[in-house]
Amino acid sequence: EDELVEKMKDLGDFDHNDQSLRVVTLLEKKYIKWDGLNLAWETLEGIIKHNGPLINSGGIDKALPVTLAALQNETDFELNGYASLEAQIAGLADDIAYNNHDVEDGINAGLFEVEDIAELALFKEYYARITNDHPNLEKRRMVFELVRELIGAMVEDVLKQTSLNIDALNPQSADDIRNAGRAMVEFSPLMLENLGELRDFLYERMYKHPDVLRMCYGARRKMGAMFDAFMDEPRLLPLDWQDEIKEGGDRFETARVVCDYLASMTDRKAVEEYSKIFS
């Protein structure tokens, strides 16, 4: 992603969230009469406002991403408001899954140990109880049990805090949620503080670990090399992707197709494609 952002900096830009919107509104071609998946306004709104409002009450303070800008010209997505309650729940569920999977992946990769996270406020109580009740529990089951406990605690915390927020607002319509001026679905202040400690830990012990940085550096090099190769010779692209480049199209249009193709790849597909081109 970082490499695509850099390569597209002067060619129309790349934004991760906007690319998701691009997939469901333009790149998926399933129907005869239109491109995209024909999603409801509310569903698109949830994707667009995944991280909250995109503009403040004073108006747009920076250019909108390319796909959103085009959609906003056709349909008003009320970018200064929050998403629906359902979309806010989906957004926070993503955070819950992301953090817990990173803990599990970090331990399984040997970047840190169970005993390391046991010192964090989020895990301390559960670790003490599990080790007391099951003193000889194998590491694999310990990891699963800790993650299961934390997911449950985070979900219960969200439910409790969200109920308090809704009771205080007393909304009478979906628009009351959108115009509340704050997210209704959120963690409690204590949970946010503890999650901050976890994120700091993961940043230092996982995201900035030498093994992870080396892997990311190699991935950026591969992605950048493929971008340059496809831009220099678009006929290296698969035939169906070549068809997306309009005859007489300029460098900006070619770059967008190349970017779409690279962004569509899984990690494994990207490694295979790099090998086909350069090995």
Side-chain angles (χ1 to χ4, degrees):
E1 178 184 342
D2 290 344
E3 192 64 22
L4 287 180
V5 170
E6 181 64 26
K7 291 293 184 181
M8 292 293 292
K9 184 168 58 177
D10 299 317
L11 292 168
D13 293 330
F14 174 81
D15 179 273
H16 174 82
N17 289 334
D18 196 61
Q19 192 67 23
S20 298
L21 186 64
R22 188 171 179 79
V23 169
V24 300
T25 59
L26 294 173
L27 299 184
E28 285 285 357
K29 301 181 187 299
K30 307 288 187 183
Y31 300 99
I32 295 174
K33 295 183 178 180
W34 56 76
D35 292 336
L37 299 181
N38 195 31
L39 300 177
W41 185 94
E42 289 80 5
T43 305
L44 293 174
E45 178 205 29
I47 298 172
I48 290 167
K49 300 176 184 176
H50 180 75
N51 295 318
L54 276 80
I55 61 177
N56 56 40
S57 57
I60 299 175
D61 56 1
K62 62 179 180 179
L64 294 174
V66 58
T67 309
L68 176 56
L71 283 177
Q72 183 66 11
N73 283 335
E74 299 177 2
T75 305
D76 182 13
F77 282 99
E78 303 172 8
L79 301 181
N80 62 335
Y82 283 81
S84 67
L85 206 59
E86 295 88 344
Q88 290 183 40
I89 292 170
L92 216 57
D94 185 54
D95 287 345
I96 292 173
Y98 186 95
N99 282 298
N100 283 282
H101 286 165
D102 276 359
V103 168
E104 188 176 339
D105 290 345
I107 293 173
N108 291 337
L111 302 179
F112 48 85
E113 297 297 331
V114 175
E115 291 76 16
D116 296 324
I117 64 166
E119 296 299 315
L120 302 177
L122 278 172
F123 294 96
K124 190 172 293 184
E125 176 186 345
Y126 304 119
Y127 181 78
R129 186 171 72 238
I130 295 169
T131 52
N132 182 67
D133 295 343
H134 308 279
N136 298 315
L137 189 63
E138 61 185 284
K139 177 181 175 180
R140 178 181 177 83
R141 294 181 191 273
M142 171 64 80
V143 173
F144 283 139
E145 190 63 24
L146 277 174
V147 169
R148 184 180 297 112
E149 289 280 8
L150 184 55
I151 291 174
M154 293 172 76
V155 169
E156 289 178 4
D157 183 86
V158 169
L159 289 173
K160 182 177 180 179
Q161 185 63 44
T162 300
S163 295
L164 292 173
N165 292 345
I166 291 175
D167 287 345
L169 180 68
N170 190 26
Q172 301 302 304
S173 68
D175 283 340
D176 287 347
I177 297 291
R178 293 188 173 92
N179 300 321
R182 54 171 292 193
M184 288 290 103
V185 183
E186 60 182 0
F187 294 114
S188 68
L190 178 59
M191 179 61 75
L192 278 175
E193 181 181 340
N194 291 339
L195 281 172
E197 183 188 31
L198 173 60
R199 292 190 184 104
D200 289 343
F201 174 87
L202 291 172
Y203 183 83
E204 291 298 328
R205 298 294 297 273
M206 185 174 183
Y207 309 143
K208 292 301 179 182
H209 191 283
D211 290 348
V212 175
L213 291 177
R214 289 169 184 167
M215 181 181 64
C216 291
Y217 180 76
R220 287 198 301 270
R221 289 286 298 271
K222 288 181 171 67
M223 191 65 70
M226 285 192 291
F227 184 93
D228 291 339
F230 290 134
M231 288 297 294
D232 290 340
E233 182 47 85
R235 293 193 181 193
L236 291 173
L237 288 164
L239 292 176
D240 55 339
W241 284 91
Q242 289 185 40
D243 292 341
E244 297 297 319
I245 301 176
K246 298 175 183 177
E247 187 174 350
D250 59 21
R251 186 170 175 80
F252 285 84
E253 293 175 351
T254 301
R256 185 58 61 186
V257 173
V258 170
C259 183
D260 286 341
Y261 177 55
L262 292 175
S264 73
M265 294 181 182
T266 61
D267 293 346
R268 180 172 296 178
K269 172 66 175 177
V271 171
E272 291 175 354
E273 191 77 340
Y274 180 85
S275 297
K276 289 178 182 177
I277 297 171
F278 295 103
S279 297

